[in-house]
PDB file of all heavy atoms in Angstrom:
ATOM      1  N   SER A1374     115.934  83.489 136.600  1.00  0.00           N
ATOM      2  CA  SER A1374     115.805  82.206 135.910  1.00  0.00           C
ATOM      3  C   SER A1374     114.993  82.409 134.641  1.00  0.00           C
ATOM      4  O   SER A1374     113.844  82.882 134.704  1.00  0.00           O
ATOM      5  CB  SER A1374     115.121  81.180 136.826  1.00  0.00           C
ATOM      6  OG  SER A1374     114.953  79.949 136.164  1.00  0.00           O
ATOM      7  N   VAL A1375     115.582  82.075 133.495  1.00  0.00           N
ATOM      8  CA  VAL A1375     114.932  82.296 132.199  1.00  0.00           C
ATOM      9  C   VAL A1375     114.998  81.028 131.361  1.00  0.00           C
ATOM     10  O   VAL A1375     116.062  80.402 131.241  1.00  0.00           O
ATOM     11  CB  VAL A1375     115.599  83.457 131.420  1.00  0.00           C
ATOM     12  CG1 VAL A1375     114.930  83.647 130.056  1.00  0.00           C
ATOM     13  CG2 VAL A1375     115.532  84.749 132.223  1.00  0.00           C
ATOM     14  N   ASP A1376     113.858  80.652 130.791  1.00  0.00           N
ATOM     15  CA  ASP A1376     113.789  79.540 129.837  1.00  0.00           C
ATOM     16  C   ASP A1376     113.718  80.169 128.449  1.00  0.00           C
ATOM     17  O   ASP A1376     112.683  80.699 128.052  1.00  0.00           O
ATOM     18  CB  ASP A1376     112.537  78.708 130.127  1.00  0.00           C
ATOM     19  CG  ASP A1376     112.422  77.489 129.221  1.00  0.00           C
ATOM     20  OD1 ASP A1376     113.313  77.305 128.365  1.00  0.00           O
ATOM     21  OD2 ASP A1376     111.433  76.747 129.345  1.00  0.00           O
ATOM     22  N   PHE A1377     114.844  80.137 127.715  1.00  0.00           N
ATOM     23  CA  PHE A1377     114.950  80.839 126.433  1.00  0.00           C
ATOM     24  C   PHE A1377     114.911  79.854 125.272  1.00  0.00           C
ATOM     25  O   PHE A1377     115.630  78.849 125.269  1.00  0.00           O
ATOM     26  CB  PHE A1377     116.250  81.648 126.379  1.00  0.00           C
ATOM     27  CG  PHE A1377     116.530  82.274 125.040  1.00  0.00           C
ATOM     28  CD1 PHE A1377     115.647  83.180 124.477  1.00  0.00           C
ATOM     29  CD2 PHE A1377     117.687  81.953 124.344  1.00  0.00           C
ATOM     30  CE1 PHE A1377     115.896  83.758 123.242  1.00  0.00           C
ATOM     31  CE2 PHE A1377     117.960  82.533 123.109  1.00  0.00           C
ATOM     32  CZ  PHE A1377     117.056  83.433 122.559  1.00  0.00           C
ATOM     33  N   THR A1378     114.082  80.164 124.277  1.00  0.00           N
ATOM     34  CA  THR A1378     113.993  79.368 123.053  1.00  0.00           C
ATOM     35  C   THR A1378     114.133  80.293 121.856  1.00  0.00           C
ATOM     36  O   THR A1378     113.388  81.270 121.747  1.00  0.00           O
ATOM     37  CB  THR A1378     112.644  78.627 122.957  1.00  0.00           C
ATOM     38  OG1 THR A1378     112.464  77.804 124.113  1.00  0.00           O
ATOM     39  CG2 THR A1378     112.602  77.758 121.701  1.00  0.00           C
ATOM     40  N   ASN A1379     115.072  79.993 120.973  1.00  0.00           N
ATOM     41  CA  ASN A1379     115.284  80.808 119.775  1.00  0.00           C
ATOM     42  C   ASN A1379     114.787  80.030 118.558  1.00  0.00           C
ATOM     43  O   ASN A1379     115.386  79.018 118.167  1.00  0.00           O
ATOM     44  CB  ASN A1379     116.767  81.150 119.623  1.00  0.00           C
ATOM     45  CG  ASN A1379     116.996  82.262 118.609  1.00  0.00           C
ATOM     46  OD1 ASN A1379     116.127  82.552 117.782  1.00  0.00           O
ATOM     47  ND2 ASN A1379     118.156  82.885 118.665  1.00  0.00           N
ATOM     48  N   LEU A1380     113.685  80.494 117.971  1.00  0.00           N
ATOM     49  CA  LEU A1380     113.090  79.840 116.803  1.00  0.00           C
ATOM     50  C   LEU A1380     113.491  80.524 115.498  1.00  0.00           C
ATOM     51  O   LEU A1380     113.059  80.074 114.427  1.00  0.00           O
ATOM     52  CB  LEU A1380     111.560  79.852 116.932  1.00  0.00           C
ATOM     53  CG  LEU A1380     110.973  79.112 118.135  1.00  0.00           C
ATOM     54  CD1 LEU A1380     109.451  79.313 118.181  1.00  0.00           C
ATOM     55  CD2 LEU A1380     111.307  77.632 118.097  1.00  0.00           C
ATOM     56  N   ALA A1381     114.277  81.581 115.583  1.00  0.00           N
ATOM     57  CA  ALA A1381     114.644  82.342 114.386  1.00  0.00           C
ATOM     58  C   ALA A1381     115.483  81.491 113.434  1.00  0.00           C
ATOM     59  O   ALA A1381     116.312  80.689 113.870  1.00  0.00           O
ATOM     60  CB  ALA A1381     115.407  83.602 114.777  1.00  0.00           C
ATOM     61  N   VAL A1382     115.256  81.700 112.137  1.00  0.00           N
ATOM     62  CA  VAL A1382     115.955  80.937 111.102  1.00  0.00           C
ATOM     63  C   VAL A1382     116.455  81.902 110.033  1.00  0.00           C
ATOM     64  O   VAL A1382     115.705  82.767 109.566  1.00  0.00           O
ATOM     65  CB  VAL A1382     115.028  79.891 110.462  1.00  0.00           C
ATOM     66  CG1 VAL A1382     115.748  79.158 109.326  1.00  0.00           C
ATOM     67  CG2 VAL A1382     114.543  78.891 111.496  1.00  0.00           C
TER      68      VAL A1382
END
Side-chain angles (χ1 to χ4, degrees):
S1374 178
V1375 178
D1376 183 359
F1377 173 60
T1378 303
N1379 194 342
L1380 299 175
V1382 177

